[in-house]
Amino acid sequence: MAIERTLSIIKPDAVKKNVVGKILSRFEDADLNISAMRFALLSKDDAAGFYAVHKERPFFNDLVEFMTSGPVCIQVLEGEDAIKKNRELMGATDPKQADAGTIRADFAESIDANAVHGSDSSENAAIEIAYFFPSMNVYRR
């Protein structure tokens, strides 16, 4: 299996619940290394730019409002099959449909306040990582 990188964001609802450490532990327990990490309070421009792919969708404005409602914790995760592994750890977007023991089943409030974001492909991971981290700020193991 290939070593991959993926972007993960612990969203404002999970930061507010003070479960950042519990979520980070799940990544590490699954052999995903944290290669970069920072907290940020996203501006509306930051959030709108990051989620621009959803600009025409009806939930876009609510998503931007939510992502700017409090601090987020942004990480680059690295490991074997990191994208797939992270998406399995996160669980379904709707926490009511997420498997027991996944991050969203355990920590998310709703489909809108769903605790975490994770890249869905290697192409998007590269774009998303570059959006938040200059390459010199990402540790290579």
Side-chain angles (χ1 to χ4, degrees), residues 76-90:
V76 176
L77 304 176
E78 184 176 68
E80 286 188 20
D81 214 11
I83 295 164
K84 180 181 177 189
K85 194 178 287 187
N86 183 44
R87 295 195 64 80
E88 289 170 355
L89 290 169
M90 290 189 311

Side-chain angles (χ1 to χ4, degrees), residues 23-36:
I23 293 171
L24 295 175
S25 291
R26 291 187 184 202
F27 300 147
E28 292 178 328
D29 290 346
D31 293 323
L32 293 172
N33 299 307
I34 300 168
S35 298

Side-chain angles (χ1 to χ4, degrees), residues 6 16 20 24 32-33 35 37-38 47 65-66 94 105 132:
T6 189
K16 184 177 181 180
V20 171
L24 295 175
L32 293 172
N33 299 307
S35 298
M37 185 169 70
R38 65 178 241 201
E65 286 297 317
F66 171 65
D94 183 347
F132 288 113

